Amino acid sequence: MTEKFIFQATAKEQLQDQYDVIIIGSGGTGLTSALQAHELGLKPVILEKMPKIGGNTTKASSGMNAAETMVQLNHQIVDSYQDFYDDVYQGGGQQNNPALLHYFTEHSALAIDWLAAHDIHLDDLTITGGMKVMRTHRPASMAPIGGFLVTELLKQIDQAHLPLFTDVKVTQILQEDGHVKGVQAQIDGQSKTILAPAVILATGGFGAGQKLIKKYRPDLADLKTTNQPGAVGDGIELAAAIGAQLVDMDQIQVHPTVQQDGEHPYLIGEAVRGEGAILVNKNGERFVNELDTRKNVTAAINNLKENGATLIFDQSVRERVKAIEFYDHIGLVKTGQSLVDLAQQNNFAADILGQTIQTWNQAVQKHQDNEYQRSTGMERQLTQAPYYSIHIAPAVHYTMGGIAINANTQVMSQKGEVIPGLYAAGEVAGGLHGNNRIGGNSIAETIIFGRQAGQQVFKYLQKGDK
């Protein structure tokens, strides 16, 4: 059995005064951009304000979307960039930035290959809401993608001896003659200037940022959030302070399936539904296509006016989603040795729940859901005891809006001009997702645009225009 890998952040006394590129944030985007920059010969540094590494990436569970991959072909799935583009464009209400979306879909397979070249293999597939084919890549162990990815990327950071500092909060981006020249940071209560001709903002969104949520979407201010406490939008504010343009700031995604009956909300990943779980109301009846877009599933749950809904699945689904082991371990899952047993635990009428499952199983057998026109996630009937349930309700999950960037990840000013030396990638950037993010696209975004940011900084420094 291999020892568990534990990454040690760099000791603060090793923080130097100057680097080639400063990367703010240690989630998937920050780690990827740092690796890519390093592999091109640059000297990067990663600054993380929180004591914990990984940001919101560690909370991701379903997988990473990509099209035209060898993994798909190995699973006998023929996909195309265009189909991927169309699904995301429709899922985003046709409000996605086309240039960003084209780059995203057309570089997704390369991102899977890049990870594999770093011994990070996503060889299994599942599906998420809004997708027409299986293109959500995940490890063969079916482990939650976020923790797996951060751990594996940190192994690469460790091997490359790249400096990563925690508890370092950037308070200002510094400029000279309109060009980025470094940052001002707070370290143990002391202010420090760190110089670099380029800065990559990889700080995530503002899903836990009450101030910005109240400003742009006061109607969501009372909802709980799936975000880690550091996701308050300070990267957005850093960019805005030097004239960056912000886009789609009112587009905030509410995730439909979050267990929040206890003190801490826990997102129940879309892979649970992708592998065959159904949603029922308080009577034990289905009420929605569970794999419609998050926006539509959320609306259907809210329309019940029942303080949420309940996910129902069986042992065959549990075996396909390893995250369920964690959900059960922390007490989020009810277990019934039979459907009658499960119905009693949830105060459902046993005959109604039984009929719901029977109708669903018949639909799966015929691959035709006449009730709600679901066509994906119908690979297995719910027939294998034990049976399980998780009570869920919608919560703030993702912010589609943020800093305006072009497809080169360059930050745009309010005048529509590039701010030289400033780059942004991941959830901190707005425009890619339109009015609704598709499950599996956030992890894809971190790798695809994280790589792009590292590459574009290299090109910028090569030109010497700084």
Side-chain angles (χ1 to χ4, degrees), residues 178-192:
H179 290 61
V180 164
K181 71 167 189 175
V183 301
Q184 201 72 25
Q186 282 284 326
I187 308 166
D188 298 330
Q190 302 293 314
S191 184
K192 179 177 175 65

Side-chain angles (χ1 to χ4, degrees), residues 28-275:
T29 306
L31 300 179
T32 299
S33 61
L35 272 175
Q36 185 67 89
H38 163 72
E39 289 169 355
L40 288 168
L42 301 185
K43 181 183 169 188
V45 63
I46 306 167
L47 305 180
E48 170 59 59
K49 72 175 181 180
M50 303 297 285
K52 186 178 177 184
I53 298 165
N56 268 348
T57 304
T58 59
K59 288 177 165 278
S61 59
S62 293
M64 172 177 167
N65 289 340
E68 297 194 29
T69 68
M70 286 301 299
V71 175
Q72 286 179 307
L73 291 178
N74 290 339
H75 285 77
Q76 297 184 308
I77 292 166
V78 178
D79 198 3
S80 76
Y81 299 146
Q82 188 61 52
D83 287 347
F84 189 14
Y85 182 101
D86 291 344
D87 283 354
V88 178
Y89 193 57
Q90 293 302 319
Q94 301 183 7
Q95 296 178 33
N96 319 65
N97 178 312
L100 296 182
L101 186 51
H102 273 296
Y103 187 89
F104 174 76
T105 52
E106 292 163 14
H107 289 77
S108 58
L110 286 169
I112 295 289
D113 292 344
W114 184 83
L115 288 172
H118 292 78
D119 204 27
I120 304 172
H121 300 283
L122 303 180
D123 291 335
D124 192 62
L125 291 174
T126 187
I127 195 164
T128 58
M131 296 281 103
K132 291 189 177 66
V133 301
M134 293 176 76
R135 59 171 69 102
T136 308
H137 296 61
R138 60 183 182 173
S141 66
M142 295 177 279
I145 185 75
F148 170 82
L149 199 57
V150 167
T151 298
E152 295 303 316
L153 287 171
L154 283 173
K155 288 179 184 177
Q156 301 290 325
I157 296 287
D158 190 50
Q159 289 170 18
H161 305 294
L162 300 187
L164 191 167
F165 298 90
T166 55
D167 295 302
V168 176
K169 181 176 172 60
V170 174
T171 56
Q172 186 182 358
I173 297 169
L174 304 176
Q175 289 178 293
E176 188 174 281
D177 298 327
H179 290 61
V180 164
K181 71 167 189 175
V183 301
Q184 201 72 25
Q186 282 284 326
I187 308 166
D188 298 330
Q190 302 293 314
S191 184
K192 179 177 175 65
T193 300
I194 309 165
L195 299 177
V199 169
I200 298 173
L201 290 164
T203 53
F206 58 97
Q210 278 291 302
K211 183 176 81 171
L212 288 176
I213 290 175
K214 283 179 179 175
K215 178 178 179 180
Y216 292 103
R217 286 295 299 276
D219 58 311
L220 302 180
D222 293 332
L223 289 184
K224 293 182 181 180
T225 182
T226 63
N227 286 237
Q228 58 94 12
V232 296
D234 39 8
I236 292 171
E237 293 179 323
L238 283 172
I242 61 167
Q245 181 186 153
L246 305 183
V247 294
D248 298 343
M249 288 294 287
D250 62 336
Q251 298 297 342
I252 297 175
Q253 182 173 79
V254 175
H255 195 289
T257 57
V258 179
Q259 215 299 329
Q260 48 191 291
D261 298 333
E263 184 181 351
H264 301 291
Y266 288 95
L267 182 136
I268 308 302
E270 210 152 307
V272 178
R273 285 171 284 145
E275 293 297 336

Side-chain angles (χ1 to χ4, degrees), residues 19-24 42 173-183 195-201 239 242 405-406 408-413 417-424 453-454 456-461 463-466:
Y19 296 88
D20 290 331
V21 55
I22 296 166
I23 295 155
I24 309 174
L42 301 185
I173 297 169
L174 304 176
Q175 289 178 293
E176 188 174 281
D177 298 327
H179 290 61
V180 164
K181 71 167 189 175
V183 301
L195 299 177
V199 169
I200 298 173
L201 290 164
I242 61 167
I405 61 169
N406 60 21
N408 290 327
T409 68
Q410 294 169 300
V411 173
M412 310 304 293
S413 74
E417 300 168 347
V418 168
I419 298 177
L422 186 59
Y423 300 79
Q456 293 303 318
V457 165
F458 170 74
K459 284 184 68 175
Y460 173 69
L461 299 189
K463 286 195 305 183
D465 183 24
K466 57 186 188 293

